[in-house]
Amino acid sequence: MGSIIIYFIVGMVILTTSSLAFGASISTPLSFNLIGASDNVEVPAPSVNITSIDFIQEVAENGVIETDAINFSIGNEDTVNSHSYEVCLVMEGPIGVFNPSSGSTPACTTTSSIPANSIVTNQLISTTNATTINDLLNISVSVEELS
């Protein structure tokens, strides 16, 4: 019977110690990161627009239509500053097969400096391998503002 009392006292000491140790974090009020609100870092609107994407298609030796490049226009929507951009392309098809292949260098192009509120046409990105049009599942285009 005496050992039960000792276990009870040791248990209460551990519970009290842990409650005091974690008390500061438990009593800290929760706060939410309100996206776009006053407590959040402002994320500026993108200053770029990609339009007029055309796939350059070709007929392979076996008669199948495939693509290995895109031609596109890119517009700088900033009304004050000129910018240059890096545009990258990845095509998927069939499932899990990427062009360029996963882990390799992406297919990218860098634009010249585009004046404020202007569009540059005939930008070209070529990939290393051709993707059959029937197998094309997904196309990812990313844009990074360089200057």
Side-chain angles (χ1 to χ4, degrees), residues 3-143:
S3 63
I4 293 177
I5 293 173
I6 294 173
Y7 286 136
F8 177 74
I9 292 172
V10 170
M12 290 303 292
V13 168
I14 292 172
L15 181 64
T16 304
T17 304
S18 65
S19 295
L20 293 174
F22 295 118
S25 62
I26 291 174
S27 65
T28 304
L30 293 175
S31 63
F32 295 96
N33 186 2
L34 304 174
I35 296 173
S38 60
D39 67 339
N40 191 16
V41 176
E42 179 182 356
V43 177
S47 65
V48 65
N49 185 346
I50 295 181
T51 58
S52 304
I53 296 177
D54 295 319
F55 290 95
I56 298 174
Q57 299 177 7
E58 58 192 18
V59 178
E61 293 177 4
N62 58 1
V64 176
I65 298 175
E66 55 189 20
T67 184
D68 63 355
I70 64 166
N71 190 1
F72 62 95
S73 298
I74 183 167
N76 178 6
E77 294 185 347
D78 189 336
T79 57
V80 178
N81 299 314
S82 61
H83 298 285
S84 61
Y85 303 95
E86 181 178 54
V87 183
C88 297
L89 167 76
V90 175
M91 292 185 275
E92 181 184 10
I95 295 175
V97 177
F98 296 97
N99 185 12
S101 60
S102 182
S104 66
T105 305
C108 299
T109 188
T110 302
T111 68
S112 58
S113 183
I114 302 172
N117 212 21
S118 297
I119 295 175
V120 174
T121 59
N122 295 325
Q123 298 295 300
L124 180 70
I125 297 178
S126 298
T127 59
T128 52
N129 302 313
T131 301
T132 304
I133 295 296
N134 290 338
D135 291 339
L136 193 59
L137 297 176
N138 191 11
I139 302 157
S140 297
V141 178
S142 65
V143 181

